[in-house]
Amino acid sequence: MVTCNSPIFSDDERLPDNSLDKTLTTLRQIRNHRLAASKRKLFKEKRLLQGLENALRHEQQMADKQYQHYQAIRQNFVIDLQKSNNHKRELAVSLDNEFVEKTTLASIKENIAAIKQQKQVQHKKINIATTDVRQREIKVEKLDYLYPRQ
C-alpha cells in the first residue's frame, strides 16, 4: 500500500542513481505533466464554462429586458386598442345621434311643409270665401240699388 509519504510519490531529487529510480522519476514526471495538463485543461474548461454561464446569464437578462419591453408594448397596444374601440363606440353613438337628429329634422321639415300647404289651402278657402262674401255684398248692393228699400 502506498501512502502520501512514501518515497515513490515524493518529488525529492535525491534518489540513488539506479534505473528503477530513473524509471520511477520519469513516470512521476509524466504523471506530473499529465496532471498539470489535466489541471490546465480543467482550468480552461472551467473558464470556458464560466464564460458560457456569464454569456447565458447575459442572454437571460437581455431576454428578460426584451420580454419586459414586449409586455410594455403589448400593454400599450391593448390600451390603444381599448381607446380606439371606445372612440369607435363614441363615433357610432355620435353617428346614431346625428342620424336621429337628421331624421327628426326631416320629419319637422315635412310637418312644416304640410302646415304651409294647409295654410295655403286655408288662405285659398278664405280668399274664396272672402270673394264669395264680397260678391254677395256686391249683389246685395246691386239689389239695394236696383230695388231700394223703403
Side-chain angles (χ1 to χ4, degrees), residues 49-67:
L49 183 61
Q50 286 174 345
L52 289 174
E53 286 174 349
N54 288 340
L56 181 62
R57 215 176 357 264
H58 177 73
E59 287 296 320
Q60 183 63 44
Q61 289 172 349
M62 294 303 293
D64 290 344
K65 285 180 184 179
Q66 287 177 346
Y67 182 73

Side-chain angles (χ1 to χ4, degrees), residues 136-149:
R136 285 189 184 137
E137 286 177 354
I138 291 173
K139 282 182 185 178
V140 169
E141 286 177 5
K142 280 183 183 179
L143 287 174
D144 281 344
Y145 180 72
L146 292 175
Y147 306 103
R149 294 185 207 170

Side-chain angles (χ1 to χ4, degrees), residues 15-52:
L15 292 173
D17 225 8
N18 67 24
S19 67
L20 183 61
D21 286 342
K22 284 185 181 180
T23 304
L24 286 176
T25 303
T26 303
L27 288 174
R28 195 170 37 248
Q29 287 174 348
I30 292 172
R31 185 203 65 203
N32 287 342
H33 285 296
R34 286 183 182 167
L35 183 62
S38 293
K39 283 182 180 180
R40 282 191 302 273
K41 184 177 179 183
L42 184 64
F43 180 73
K44 285 179 183 177
E45 288 177 359
K46 185 177 178 183
R47 275 193 0 221
L48 180 64
L49 183 61
Q50 286 174 345
L52 289 174

Side-chain angles (χ1 to χ4, degrees), residues 82-97:
Q82 288 171 344
K83 286 180 183 178
S84 175
N85 287 341
N86 288 342
H87 184 67
K88 285 179 184 177
R89 275 190 229 115
E90 290 171 2
L91 281 177
V93 168
S94 174
L95 287 174
D96 287 344
N97 290 342

Side-chain angles (χ1 to χ4, degrees), residues 63-76:
D64 290 344
K65 285 180 184 179
Q66 287 177 346
Y67 182 73
Q68 289 171 355
H69 182 68
Y70 162 78
Q71 287 292 66
I73 289 172
R74 183 178 176 274
Q75 186 176 8
N76 287 337

